[in-house]
Amino acid sequence: MNVTIRKIGNSEGVIIPKEVLDRFGLKAGDSLELHAEDGRFYMQPVEDDISEELDAARFFMDKYKVALKKLAE
C-alpha cells in the first residue's frame, strides 16, 4: 500500500487509509509509536492501559461517593 507525504500545517504527514485503521481498531486521536530500523519505519499503537482503570475508578467513586465520604471522616 502506497501513501503520499502531505503538507499538514507547518508539518508533513501521511493519511492512514480507513481499511488499515479499521483493521487495527484505531481512530482519530489515538497515539502511534514510530520506530525507524534498518531504513524502514514501523508504527504501532501506544497502549493506553491506564485510561480504562481511571474510568473504572471514576465510576466507582461516583457510585460510592457517600460511603467514601463517611470512611474519610
Side-chain angles (χ1 to χ4, degrees):
M1 179 175 300
N2 292 324
V3 295
T4 303
I5 298 173
R6 299 174 186 215
K7 185 86 170 144
I8 302 172
N10 290 331
S11 301
E12 279 100 34
V14 295
I15 304 300
I16 301 172
K18 183 177 182 346
E19 304 84 49
V20 174
L21 295 173
D22 290 345
R23 186 179 326 150
F24 290 95
L26 297 169
K27 62 187 178 316
D30 288 347
S31 295
L32 297 173
E33 191 172 331
L34 176 66
H35 297 279
E37 187 176 302
D38 298 327
R40 296 173 186 240
F41 290 112
Y42 298 93
M43 290 189 291
Q44 66 185 38
V46 173
E47 296 292 327
D48 287 336
D49 51 45
I50 192 72
S51 67
E52 287 182 26
E53 285 85 354
L54 288 174
D55 289 342
R58 286 187 192 100
F59 174 79
F60 178 86
M61 289 186 290
D62 281 345
K63 185 172 182 176
Y64 298 104
K65 171 180 359 187
V66 174
L68 290 170
K69 279 186 178 180
K70 294 236 183 228
L71 287 170
E73 293 175 354

